[in-house]
């Protein structure tokens, strides 16, 4: 659809602006079915160890060594070890997909190596033009302290207007543009303000108005939860799943609202190298899909 195409173009343009020079180096081939894969910390590791890795071992006889970090960490490791890459499969973000493709450190999914890739739902494949696939999803919205914020924003425009007016005080968190959530939310707000791919000025102007009341532009997805539960901030642009995790830990006053017109799509990506034909189908195997949710 037109909206998705525009969003994809936005992601590609941001990636192109930050990627620097292109590189032709490719992943080196590795012997044996054992691989090294990148993972976020915490429940991501728990979920992989509980479901995906045991399944990988059963189906291939190989093992999976996890490297815990961020997408930026993984890219730096691969860039520094081009001849024998330190990581075979990376988790990444929307912008990372196209930037890493431009850097030449990932390969497209190949039917011969991933024969069931065609069975992955189009919504998880098409936005990435063959470079990656999505394996989970969530919603960006507004998370707030219900003891302090009695009337949460009903739209993204309302959220930005009330922040800019200082209604919440200097107790607001907003994602940095380098974070996936920041890229997606900012794109959506710009569109709602009448901007376009070629005209980001509406959202830039609005963010300047909001900045005096933003405690921090967060880069780690864990930061809003800590700031909200400690009372440092009262409201944040954040994700539903992380909010539900905070609630499950006993913080029932931390609530999530989905502002109109909704959430920009938020899906994590797995970016394969030529060494890694099995992980995509394991991540989309129904029994393994349910495990991370049970672990979390």
């Amino acid at each position: 659809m037109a909206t998705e195409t525009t969003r994809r173009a936005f992601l590609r343009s941001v990636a192109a602006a930050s990627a620097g020079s292109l590189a032709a180096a490719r992943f080196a081939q590795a012997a044996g079915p054992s691989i090294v894969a990148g993972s976020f910390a915490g429940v991501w590791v728990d979920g992989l160890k509980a479901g995906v890795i045991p399944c990988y071992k059963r189906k291939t006889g190989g093992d999976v060594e996890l490297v815990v970090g961020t997408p930026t960490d993984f890219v730096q490791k691969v860039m520094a070890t081009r001849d024998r890459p330190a990581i075979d499969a990376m988790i990444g973000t929307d912008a990372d997909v196209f930037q890493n493709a431009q850097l030449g450190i990932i390969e497209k999914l190949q039917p011969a190596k991933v024969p069931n890739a065609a069975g992955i739902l189009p919504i998880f494949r098409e936005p990435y033009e063959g470079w990656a696939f999505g394996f989970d999803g969530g919603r960006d919205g507004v998370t707030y302290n219900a003891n302090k914020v009695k009337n949460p924003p009903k739209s993204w425009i309302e959220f930005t207007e009330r922040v800019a007016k200082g209604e919440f005080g200097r107790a607001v968190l907003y994602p940095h543009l380098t974070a996936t959530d920041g890229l997606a939310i900012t794109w959506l707000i710009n569109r709602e303000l009448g901007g376009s791919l070629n005209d980001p000025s509406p959202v830039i102007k609005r963010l300047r108005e909001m900045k005096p009341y933003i405690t921090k532009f967060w880069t780690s997805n864990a930061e809003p939860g800590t700031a909200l539960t400690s009372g440092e901030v009262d409201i944040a642009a954040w994700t539903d799943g992380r909010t539900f995790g905070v609630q499950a830990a006993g913080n029932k006053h931390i609530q999530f609202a989905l502002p109109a017109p909704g959430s920009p799509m938020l899906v994590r990506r797995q970016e394969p190298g030529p060494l890694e034909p099995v992980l995509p189908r394991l991540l989309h195997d129904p029994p393994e899909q349910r495990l991370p949710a049970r672990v979390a």
Side-chain angles (χ1 to χ4, degrees):
M1 65 177 66
T3 299
E4 175 60 29
T5 301
T6 303
R7 178 174 179 273
R8 189 183 310 172
F10 181 77
L11 294 171
R12 290 178 67 91
S13 67
V14 172
S18 60
S21 60
L22 304 185
R26 309 304 298 178
F27 279 104
Q29 294 292 335
S34 294
I35 65 170
V36 178
S39 172
F40 293 123
V43 294
W44 292 85
V45 173
D46 296 339
L48 290 173
K49 287 184 176 180
V52 176
I53 292 176
C55 187
Y56 183 89
K57 290 180 178 180
R58 289 194 304 271
K59 294 191 176 185
T60 70
D63 202 354
V64 180
E65 176 186 346
L66 293 179
V67 175
V68 178
T70 68
T72 300
D73 296 334
F74 306 146
V75 171
Q76 290 175 347
K77 287 180 183 294
V78 173
M79 292 287 288
T81 56
R82 281 183 177 274
D83 293 337
R84 293 183 60 84
I87 300 175
D88 303 317
M90 298 187 294
I91 188 172
T93 67
D94 293 24
D96 290 328
V97 172
F98 297 108
Q99 178 172 312
N100 293 345
Q102 290 175 332
L103 290 172
I105 61 172
I106 59 174
E107 289 189 348
K108 285 195 171 184
L109 296 168
Q110 301 174 32
K113 294 182 177 180
V114 191
N116 72 323
I120 298 175
L121 292 174
I123 194 173
F124 289 103
R125 290 186 290 109
E126 291 179 351
Y128 314 103
E129 301 176 3
W131 290 107
F133 68 92
F135 64 87
D136 76 341
R139 299 175 301 173
D140 281 310
V142 173
T143 302
Y144 60 98
N145 181 337
N147 294 333
K148 299 289 189 66
V149 179
K150 303 299 183 181
N151 179 29
K154 295 180 176 59
S155 72
W156 284 108
I157 298 301
E158 180 188 339
F159 169 70
T160 64
E161 289 174 343
R162 291 170 66 181
V163 171
K165 291 176 181 177
E167 182 176 329
F168 307 112
R170 196 169 187 276
V172 180
L173 285 191
Y174 186 88
H176 196 281
L177 187 60
T178 57
T180 308
D181 307 84
L183 194 65
I185 292 171
T186 302
W187 167 83
L188 179 60
I189 293 172
N190 188 60
R191 190 191 70 179
E192 292 300 294
L193 288 170
S196 67
L197 176 63
N198 296 319
D199 181 20
S201 60
V203 76
I204 292 174
K205 179 176 182 294
R206 182 56 54 84
L207 286 173
R208 283 175 177 163
E209 295 168 346
M210 296 166 60
K211 187 176 179 181
Y213 304 102
I214 296 175
T215 304
K216 184 178 182 181
F217 289 89
W218 59 266
T219 55
S220 166
N221 231 326
E223 291 178 72
T226 301
L228 284 159
T229 55
S230 68
E232 179 184 358
V233 302
D234 298 329
I235 192 166
W238 203 28
T239 62
D240 58 353
R242 290 276 184 164
T243 303
F244 301 151
V246 168
Q247 292 173 340
N251 302 284
K252 302 301 183 184
H253 62 293
I254 304 299
Q255 296 292 317
F256 178 84
L258 184 62
S263 169
M265 186 178 183
L266 176 63
V267 180
R268 299 294 178 192
R269 310 291 179 264
Q270 191 75 23
E271 303 172 7
L275 322 179
E276 207 278 302
V278 181
L279 201 57
R281 72 170 170 268
L282 298 187
L283 288 167
H284 280 271
D285 187 50
E288 313 313 326
Q289 284 180 320
R290 293 190 292 269
L291 273 163
R294 293 204 297 269
V295 171

